[in-house]
Coordinates of all heavy atoms in Angstrom, one line a residue:
M1 N 9.7 4.9 -8.2 CA 8.4 4.7 -7.6 C 7.9 3.3 -8.2 O 8.0 3.0 -9.4 CB 7.5 5.8 -8.1 CG 6.1 5.6 -7.6 SD 5.1 7.1 -8.1 CE 4.1 7.2 -6.7
P2 N 7.4 2.4 -7.3 CA 7.0 1.1 -7.7 C 5.7 1.2 -8.6 O 4.9 2.1 -8.4 CB 6.6 0.4 -6.4 CG 6.6 1.4 -5.4 CD 7.3 2.6 -5.8
R3 N 5.6 0.3 -9.5 CA 4.5 0.3 -10.4 C 3.2 -0.3 -9.6 O 3.3 -1.2 -8.9 CB 4.8 -0.7 -11.5 CG 3.7 -0.6 -12.6 CD 4.1 -1.5 -13.8 NE 2.9 -2.1 -14.3 CZ 2.5 -3.4 -14.2 NH1 3.3 -4.2 -13.5 NH2 1.4 -3.8 -14.6
I4 N 2.1 0.4 -9.7 CA 0.9 0.0 -9.0 C 0.1 -0.9 -10.0 O -0.2 -0.5 -11.1 CB 0.1 1.3 -8.6 CG1 0.9 2.1 -7.6 CG2 -1.3 0.9 -8.0 CD1 0.2 3.4 -7.1
T5 N -0.3 -2.0 -9.4 CA -1.1 -3.0 -10.2 C -2.6 -2.7 -9.9 O -2.9 -1.9 -9.1 CB -0.7 -4.4 -9.9 OG1 -0.9 -4.6 -8.5 CG2 0.8 -4.7 -10.3
S6 N -3.4 -3.5 -10.6 CA -4.9 -3.3 -10.4 C -5.4 -3.5 -9.0 O -6.0 -2.6 -8.5 CB -5.6 -4.1 -11.4 OG -5.4 -5.5 -11.2
K7 N -5.1 -4.6 -8.4 CA -5.5 -4.8 -7.0 C -4.5 -5.8 -6.4 O -4.0 -6.7 -7.1 CB -6.9 -5.5 -6.9 CG -8.0 -4.6 -7.3 CD -8.3 -3.5 -6.2 CE -9.4 -2.6 -6.7 NZ -9.1 -1.2 -6.6
S8 N -4.2 -5.6 -5.1 CA -3.3 -6.6 -4.4 C -4.1 -7.8 -4.0 O -5.4 -7.8 -4.1 CB -2.8 -5.9 -3.2 OG -3.8 -5.7 -2.2
K9 N -3.4 -8.8 -3.6 CA -4.1 -10.1 -3.1 C -5.0 -9.7 -1.9 O -6.2 -10.2 -1.9 CB -3.1 -11.1 -2.7 CG -2.4 -11.8 -3.8 CD -1.5 -12.9 -3.3 CE -0.1 -12.5 -3.1 NZ 0.8 -13.6 -2.7
L10 N -4.5 -8.9 -1.0 CA -5.3 -8.5 0.1 C -6.5 -7.7 -0.3 O -7.6 -7.9 0.2 CB -4.5 -7.7 1.2 CG -5.2 -7.3 2.4 CD1 -5.9 -8.5 3.1 CD2 -4.3 -6.6 3.4
G11 N -6.3 -6.7 -1.2 CA -7.4 -5.9 -1.7 C -8.5 -6.8 -2.3 O -9.7 -6.6 -2.1
K12 N -8.1 -7.7 -3.2 CA -9.1 -8.6 -3.8 C -9.8 -9.4 -2.8 O -11.1 -9.6 -2.9 CB -8.4 -9.6 -4.8 CG -7.9 -8.9 -6.0 CD -7.1 -9.9 -6.9 CE -6.4 -9.2 -8.1 NZ -5.6 -10.2 -8.8
Y13 N -9.1 -9.9 -1.8 CA -9.7 -10.7 -0.7 C -10.8 -9.9 0.1 O -11.9 -10.3 0.3 CB -8.7 -11.2 0.2 CG -9.2 -12.0 1.4 CD1 -9.6 -13.3 1.3 CD2 -9.4 -11.4 2.7 CE1 -10.1 -14.1 2.3 CE2 -9.9 -12.1 3.7 CZ -10.2 -13.5 3.6 OH -10.7 -14.2 4.6
L14 N -10.4 -8.7 0.5 CA -11.3 -7.8 1.3 C -12.5 -7.4 0.5 O -13.6 -7.4 1.0 CB -10.5 -6.6 1.8 CG -9.5 -6.9 2.9 CD1 -8.6 -5.7 3.2 CD2 -10.2 -7.5 4.2
I15 N -12.3 -7.1 -0.8 CA -13.4 -6.7 -1.7 C -14.4 -7.9 -1.8 O -15.6 -7.8 -1.7 CB -12.9 -6.3 -3.1 CG1 -12.2 -4.9 -2.9 CG2 -14.1 -6.2 -4.1 CD1 -11.4 -4.5 -4.1
K16 N -13.8 -9.1 -2.0 CA -14.6 -10.3 -2.1 C -15.5 -10.6 -0.9 O -16.6 -11.0 -0.9 CB -13.7 -11.5 -2.4 CG -14.4 -12.8 -2.6 CD -13.4 -13.9 -2.8 CE -14.1 -15.3 -2.8 NZ -13.2 -16.4 -3.0
K17 N -14.9 -10.2 0.3 CA -15.6 -10.4 1.6 C -16.5 -9.2 1.9 O -17.2 -9.3 2.9 CB -14.5 -10.6 2.7 CG -13.7 -11.9 2.6 CD -14.6 -13.1 2.7 CE -13.8 -14.4 2.7 NZ -14.6 -15.6 2.9
G18 N -16.5 -8.2 1.1 CA -17.4 -7.1 1.2 C -16.9 -6.0 2.1 O -17.7 -5.1 2.5
Y19 N -15.6 -5.9 2.3 CA -15.0 -4.8 3.1 C -14.5 -3.7 2.2 O -13.7 -3.9 1.3 CB -13.9 -5.3 3.9 CG -14.3 -6.2 5.1 CD1 -14.5 -7.5 4.9 CD2 -14.5 -5.6 6.3 CE1 -14.9 -8.3 5.9 CE2 -15.0 -6.4 7.4 CZ -15.2 -7.8 7.2 OH -15.6 -8.6 8.2
T20 N -15.1 -2.5 2.4 CA -14.6 -1.3 1.7 C -13.4 -0.7 2.4 O -13.1 -1.0 3.5 CB -15.7 -0.2 1.6 OG1 -15.9 0.3 3.0 CG2 -17.0 -0.7 1.0
Q21 N -12.7 0.1 1.7 CA -11.6 0.8 2.2 C -12.0 1.7 3.4 O -11.3 1.7 4.5 CB -10.9 1.7 1.2 CG -10.2 0.9 0.1 CD -9.5 1.7 -0.9 OE1 -9.0 2.8 -0.6 NE2 -9.4 1.3 -2.1
T22 N -13.1 2.3 3.3 CA -13.6 3.2 4.4 C -13.8 2.3 5.7 O -13.5 2.8 6.8 CB -14.9 3.8 4.0 OG1 -14.7 4.6 2.8 CG2 -15.5 4.7 5.1
E23 N -14.4 1.1 5.5 CA -14.6 0.3 6.7 C -13.3 -0.1 7.3 O -13.2 -0.1 8.6 CB -15.4 -1.0 6.3 CG -16.8 -0.7 6.0 CD -17.5 -1.9 5.4 OE1 -17.0 -2.5 4.4 OE2 -18.6 -2.2 5.9
I24 N -12.3 -0.5 6.5 CA -11.0 -0.9 7.1 C -10.3 0.3 7.8 O -9.8 0.1 8.9 CB -10.1 -1.4 5.9 CG1 -10.7 -2.7 5.3 CG2 -8.7 -1.7 6.5 CD1 -10.9 -3.8 6.3
V25 N -10.4 1.5 7.2 CA -9.9 2.7 7.9 C -10.6 2.9 9.3 O -9.9 3.1 10.3 CB -10.1 4.0 7.0 CG1 -9.8 5.2 7.8 CG2 -9.2 3.9 5.8
R26 N -11.9 2.7 9.3 CA -12.7 2.9 10.5 C -12.3 1.9 11.6 O -12.1 2.3 12.8 CB -14.2 2.9 10.2 CG -15.1 3.2 11.4 CD -16.5 3.2 11.0 NE -17.0 2.1 10.3 CZ -17.2 0.8 10.8 NH1 -17.1 0.6 12.0 NH2 -17.6 -0.1 10.0
V27 N -12.2 0.7 11.3 CA -12.0 -0.4 12.3 C -10.6 -0.5 12.7 O -10.3 -1.0 13.8 CB -12.6 -1.7 11.9 CG1 -14.1 -1.6 11.7 CG2 -12.0 -2.3 10.7
T28 N -9.6 -0.1 11.9 CA -8.2 -0.3 12.2 C -7.5 1.0 12.6 O -6.4 0.9 13.1 CB -7.4 -0.9 11.0 OG1 -7.5 0.0 9.9 CG2 -8.0 -2.3 10.6
N29 N -8.1 2.1 12.3 CA -7.4 3.4 12.4 C -6.1 3.6 11.6 O -5.2 4.3 12.0 CB -7.1 3.7 13.9 CG -8.4 4.0 14.6 OD1 -9.3 4.7 14.1 ND2 -8.5 3.5 15.9
I30 N -6.1 2.8 10.5 CA -4.9 3.0 9.6 C -5.3 4.1 8.7 O -6.4 4.3 8.3 CB -4.8 1.7 8.8 CG1 -4.4 0.5 9.7 CG2 -3.7 1.8 7.7 CD1 -4.4 -0.9 9.0
A31 N -4.3 4.9 8.3 CA -4.5 6.1 7.4 C -5.1 5.7 6.1 O -4.8 4.6 5.6 CB -3.2 6.8 7.2
R32 N -6.0 6.5 5.6 CA -6.7 6.2 4.3 C -5.7 5.9 3.2 O -5.9 5.0 2.4 CB -7.6 7.3 4.0 CG -8.3 7.1 2.6 CD -9.4 8.1 2.4 NE -10.6 7.8 3.1 CZ -11.4 6.7 2.9 NH1 -11.1 5.8 2.0 NH2 -12.5 6.5 3.6
R33 N -4.7 6.7 3.1 CA -3.7 6.5 2.0 C -3.0 5.2 2.1 O -2.8 4.5 1.1 CB -2.6 7.7 2.1 CG -1.6 7.6 1.0 CD -0.7 8.7 1.1 NE 0.3 8.5 0.0 CZ 1.2 9.4 -0.4 NH1 1.2 10.6 0.2 NH2 2.0 9.2 -1.3
T34 N -2.7 4.7 3.4 CA -2.1 3.4 3.5 C -3.1 2.3 3.1 O -2.7 1.4 2.5 CB -1.7 3.3 5.0 OG1 -0.7 4.3 5.3 CG2 -1.0 1.9 5.3
V35 N -4.3 2.5 3.5 CA -5.3 1.5 3.2 C -5.5 1.4 1.7 O -5.6 0.3 1.1 CB -6.7 1.7 3.9 CG1 -7.8 0.8 3.3 CG2 -6.5 1.5 5.4
S36 N -5.5 2.5 1.0 CA -5.5 2.6 -0.5 C -4.4 1.8 -1.1 O -4.5 1.0 -2.0 CB -5.6 4.0 -0.9 OG -5.6 4.0 -2.4
R37 N -3.2 2.0 -0.5 CA -2.0 1.3 -1.1 C -2.1 -0.2 -0.8 O -1.8 -1.0 -1.6 CB -0.7 1.8 -0.4 CG -0.4 3.2 -1.0 CD 1.0 3.7 -0.5 NE 2.0 2.9 -1.2 CZ 3.3 3.0 -0.8 NH1 3.7 3.7 0.2 NH2 4.2 2.3 -1.5
I38 N -2.7 -0.6 0.4 CA -2.8 -2.0 0.7 C -3.8 -2.6 -0.3 O -3.6 -3.8 -0.7 CB -3.4 -2.1 2.2 CG1 -2.2 -1.7 3.2 CG2 -3.9 -3.5 2.5 CD1 -2.7 -1.5 4.6
Y39 N -4.8 -2.0 -0.7 CA -5.8 -2.5 -1.6 C -5.3 -2.6 -3.0 O -5.7 -3.5 -3.8 CB -7.1 -1.6 -1.6 CG -8.2 -2.1 -0.7 CD1 -8.1 -1.9 0.7 CD2 -9.4 -2.6 -1.2 CE1 -9.1 -2.3 1.6 CE2 -10.4 -3.0 -0.3 CZ -10.2 -2.9 1.0 OH -11.3 -3.2 1.9
N40 N -4.5 -1.6 -3.4 CA -4.2 -1.4 -4.8 C -2.8 -1.7 -5.3 O -2.6 -2.0 -6.4 CB -4.5 0.0 -5.3 CG -6.0 0.3 -5.1 OD1 -6.8 -0.4 -5.7 ND2 -6.3 1.3 -4.3
D41 N -1.8 -1.7 -4.4 CA -0.4 -1.9 -4.8 C 0.1 -3.3 -4.3 O 0.4 -3.4 -3.1 CB 0.4 -0.8 -4.2 CG 1.9 -0.8 -4.6 OD1 2.3 -1.8 -5.3 OD2 2.6 0.2 -4.4
S42 N 0.2 -4.2 -5.2 CA 0.6 -5.6 -4.8 C 2.1 -5.6 -4.4 O 2.5 -6.6 -3.8 CB 0.4 -6.5 -6.0 OG 1.2 -6.2 -7.1
N43 N 2.9 -4.6 -4.6 CA 4.3 -4.5 -4.2 C 4.4 -3.9 -2.8 O 5.5 -3.9 -2.3 CB 5.1 -3.8 -5.2 CG 5.1 -4.5 -6.5 OD1 5.3 -5.7 -6.6 ND2 4.9 -3.8 -7.6
Y44 N 3.4 -3.3 -2.3 CA 3.5 -2.5 -1.0 C 3.5 -3.5 0.2 O 2.7 -4.4 0.3 CB 2.3 -1.6 -0.9 CG 2.3 -0.8 0.4 CD1 3.3 0.1 0.7 CD2 1.3 -1.0 1.3 CE1 3.3 0.8 1.9 CE2 1.3 -0.3 2.5 CZ 2.3 0.6 2.8 OH 2.3 1.3 4.0
I45 N 4.5 -3.3 1.0 CA 4.6 -4.0 2.3 C 4.5 -3.0 3.4 O 5.3 -2.2 3.6 CB 6.0 -4.7 2.4 CG1 6.3 -5.6 1.2 CG2 6.1 -5.5 3.8 CD1 5.4 -6.8 1.1
P46 N 3.4 -3.1 4.2 CA 3.1 -2.1 5.3 C 4.0 -2.4 6.5 O 4.7 -3.4 6.5 CB 1.7 -2.4 5.6 CG 1.3 -3.7 5.1 CD 2.2 -4.0 4.0
S47 N 4.1 -1.4 7.4 CA 4.9 -1.6 8.6 C 4.3 -2.7 9.5 O 3.2 -3.2 9.3 CB 4.8 -0.3 9.4 OG 3.6 -0.1 9.9
G48 N 5.2 -3.1 10.4 CA 4.8 -4.2 11.3 C 3.5 -3.8 12.1 O 2.6 -4.7 12.3
S49 N 3.4 -2.6 12.6 CA 2.2 -2.2 13.4 C 0.9 -2.2 12.5 O -0.1 -2.6 12.9 CB 2.4 -0.9 14.0 OG 2.5 0.2 13.0
T50 N 1.1 -1.9 11.2 CA -0.1 -1.9 10.3 C -0.5 -3.3 10.0 O -1.6 -3.7 10.0 CB 0.3 -1.1 9.0 OG1 0.5 0.2 9.3 CG2 -0.9 -1.2 8.0
I51 N 0.5 -4.2 9.8 CA 0.2 -5.6 9.6 C -0.5 -6.2 10.8 O -1.4 -7.0 10.6 CB 1.5 -6.4 9.3 CG1 2.0 -6.0 7.9 CG2 1.3 -7.9 9.4 CD1 3.4 -6.6 7.5
K52 N -0.1 -5.8 12.0 CA -0.7 -6.3 13.2 C -2.2 -5.9 13.2 O -3.1 -6.7 13.6 CB 0.0 -5.8 14.4 CG -0.4 -6.4 15.7 CD 0.4 -5.9 16.9 CE 0.0 -6.5 18.2 NZ 0.8 -6.2 19.3
K53 N -2.5 -4.7 12.9 CA -3.9 -4.2 12.9 C -4.7 -4.9 11.8 O -5.8 -5.3 12.0 CB -3.9 -2.7 12.6 CG -3.4 -1.9 13.7 CD -3.4 -0.4 13.3 CE -2.8 0.5 14.4 NZ -2.7 1.9 14.0
L54 N -4.1 -5.2 10.6 CA -4.7 -5.9 9.6 C -5.0 -7.3 10.0 O -6.1 -7.9 9.7 CB -3.9 -5.9 8.3 CG -3.8 -4.6 7.5 CD1 -2.7 -4.7 6.5 CD2 -5.1 -4.2 6.9
M55 N -4.1 -8.0 10.6 CA -4.2 -9.3 11.0 C -5.4 -9.5 12.0 O -6.0 -10.5 12.0 CB -2.9 -9.9 11.5 CG -1.9 -10.2 10.5 SD -2.6 -11.2 9.1 CE -3.1 -12.7 9.9
S56 N -5.6 -8.5 12.9 CA -6.7 -8.6 13.8 C -8.0 -8.7 13.1 O -8.9 -9.5 13.5 CB -6.7 -7.5 14.8 OG -7.0 -6.3 14.2
I57 N -8.1 -8.0 12.0 CA -9.4 -8.0 11.2 C -9.4 -9.3 10.4 O -10.5 -10.0 10.3 CB -9.4 -6.8 10.2 CG1 -9.5 -5.5 11.0 CG2 -10.6 -6.9 9.2 CD1 -10.6 -5.4 11.9
L58 N -8.3 -9.7 9.8 CA -8.3 -10.9 8.9 C -8.5 -12.2 9.7 O -9.2 -13.1 9.2 CB -6.9 -11.0 8.2 CG -6.7 -9.9 7.2 CD1 -5.2 -9.9 6.7 CD2 -7.6 -10.0 6.0
K59 N -8.1 -12.2 11.0 CA -8.3 -13.4 11.8 C -9.8 -13.5 12.2 O -10.3 -14.6 12.4 CB -7.4 -13.3 13.1 CG -6.0 -13.6 12.8 CD -5.7 -15.0 12.4 CE -4.2 -15.2 12.3 NZ -3.9 -16.6 11.9
K60 N -10.5 -12.3 12.3 CA -11.9 -12.3 12.6 C -12.7 -12.8 11.4 O -13.7 -13.5 11.6 CB -12.4 -10.9 13.0 CG -11.9 -10.5 14.4 CD -12.3 -9.1 14.8 CE -11.8 -8.8 16.1 NZ -12.1 -7.4 16.5
I61 N -12.2 -12.5 10.2 CA -12.9 -13.0 9.0 C -12.7 -14.5 8.9 O -13.7 -15.2 8.6 CB -12.4 -12.3 7.8 CG1 -12.7 -10.8 7.8 CG2 -12.9 -12.9 6.5 CD1 -12.0 -9.9 6.8
D62 N -11.5 -14.9 9.1 CA -11.2 -16.4 9.0 C -9.9 -16.6 9.8 O -8.8 -16.1 9.5 CB -10.9 -16.8 7.5 CG -10.7 -18.3 7.4 OD1 -10.4 -19.0 8.4 OD2 -10.6 -18.7 6.2
P63 N -10.1 -17.4 10.9 CA -8.9 -17.6 11.8 C -7.7 -18.3 11.1 O -6.6 -18.3 11.6 CB -9.5 -18.5 12.9 CG -11.0 -18.3 12.8 CD -11.3 -17.9 11.4
K64 N -8.0 -18.9 9.9 CA -6.9 -19.6 9.2 C -6.0 -18.6 8.4 O -5.0 -19.0 7.9 CB -7.5 -20.6 8.3 CG -8.2 -21.8 9.0 CD -8.8 -22.7 8.1 CE -9.6 -23.7 8.8 NZ -10.4 -24.6 7.9
N65 N -6.4 -17.4 8.3 CA -5.7 -16.4 7.5 C -4.3 -16.2 8.0 O -4.1 -16.1 9.3 CB -6.4 -15.0 7.4 CG -7.5 -15.0 6.4 OD1 -7.5 -15.7 5.4 ND2 -8.5 -14.2 6.7
K66 N -3.3 -16.1 7.1 CA -1.9 -15.8 7.5 C -1.5 -14.7 6.7 O -1.9 -14.5 5.6 CB -1.0 -17.0 7.2 CG -1.4 -18.3 8.0 CD -0.5 -19.4 7.6 CE -0.8 -19.8 6.2 NZ -0.5 -21.0 5.6
I67 N -0.6 -13.9 7.2 CA -0.1 -12.7 6.5 C 0.6 -13.1 5.2 O 0.6 -12.4 4.3 CB 0.8 -11.8 7.5 CG1 0.9 -10.4 6.9 CG2 2.2 -12.4 7.7 CD1 -0.4 -9.7 6.8
D68 N 1.3 -14.3 5.2 CA 1.9 -14.7 4.0 C 0.9 -15.0 2.9 O 1.4 -15.1 1.7 CB 2.7 -16.0 4.3 CG 3.9 -15.8 5.2 OD1 4.3 -14.6 5.3 OD2 4.4 -16.8 5.8
D69 N -0.3 -15.1 3.2 CA -1.4 -15.3 2.2 C -1.6 -14.0 1.4 O -2.1 -14.1 0.2 CB -2.7 -15.7 2.8 CG -2.7 -17.1 3.5 OD1 -1.8 -17.9 3.1 OD2 -3.5 -17.3 4.4
F70 N -1.2 -12.9 1.9 CA -1.5 -11.6 1.3 C -0.3 -10.8 0.9 O -0.4 -9.9 0.1 CB -2.4 -10.8 2.3 CG -3.6 -11.5 2.7 CD1 -3.7 -12.1 4.0 CD2 -4.6 -11.7 1.8 CE1 -4.8 -12.8 4.4 CE2 -5.8 -12.4 2.2 CZ -5.9 -13.0 3.5
F71 N 0.9 -11.0 1.5 CA 2.1 -10.2 1.2 C 3.2 -11.1 0.9 O 3.4 -12.2 1.5 CB 2.4 -9.3 2.4 CG 1.4 -8.3 2.8 CD1 0.5 -8.5 3.8 CD2 1.3 -7.1 2.0 CE1 -0.4 -7.5 4.1 CE2 0.3 -6.2 2.3 CZ -0.5 -6.4 3.4
N72 N 4.1 -10.6 -0.1 CA 5.3 -11.4 -0.4 C 6.5 -10.7 0.3 O 6.9 -9.6 -0.1 CB 5.5 -11.3 -2.0 CG 4.3 -11.9 -2.7 OD1 3.8 -12.9 -2.3 ND2 3.9 -11.3 -3.8
F73 N 7.0 -11.4 1.2 CA 8.1 -10.8 2.0 C 9.4 -11.3 1.4 O 9.6 -12.2 0.9 CB 8.1 -11.3 3.5 CG 6.9 -10.7 4.2 CD1 5.8 -11.4 4.5 CD2 7.0 -9.4 4.7 CE1 4.7 -10.9 5.1 CE2 5.9 -8.8 5.4 CZ 4.8 -9.6 5.6

């Protein structure tokens, strides 16, 4: 089981921008458990469909956002 760190880059970014996990679940229809992992586990890489949903939100926040800014592939 991977070690869970305090917050992921994406989690820190979304918190800084004022987005709660509940809001992300609501607007993306991503499972709560997955959103929790996205916020808290810096080693977690979500599925392609989840990344696509996240990017739709991230691009609305800032069109310059790239997935590489938040996940280490």
Side-chain angles (χ1 to χ4, degrees):
M1 180 176 216
R3 189 175 145 255
I4 296 177
T5 58
S6 59
K7 292 284 179 234
S8 68
K9 287 188 261 182
L10 181 56
K12 289 176 187 175
Y13 178 80
L14 291 170
I15 290 167
K16 181 179 173 184
K17 295 295 183 179
Y19 288 86
T20 65
Q21 291 183 30
T22 302
E23 289 172 308
I24 298 301
V25 168
R26 184 177 47 80
V27 298
T28 63
N29 289 321
I30 297 172
R32 176 168 287 290
R33 181 177 178 169
T34 301
V35 171
S36 177
R37 287 187 74 189
I38 289 165
Y39 266 71
N40 296 302
D41 186 350
S42 61
N43 297 314
Y44 178 64
I45 305 293
S47 70
S49 62
T50 298
I51 289 173
K52 188 174 180 177
K53 291 175 184 179
L54 289 170
M55 285 310 299
S56 70
I57 298 302
L58 293 169
K59 291 286 187 182
K60 288 178 183 176
I61 296 170
D62 183 349
K64 295 176 188 173
N65 280 331
K66 298 176 295 198
I67 200 62
D68 293 340
D69 297 336
F70 305 105
F71 296 102
N72 300 320
F73 292 101

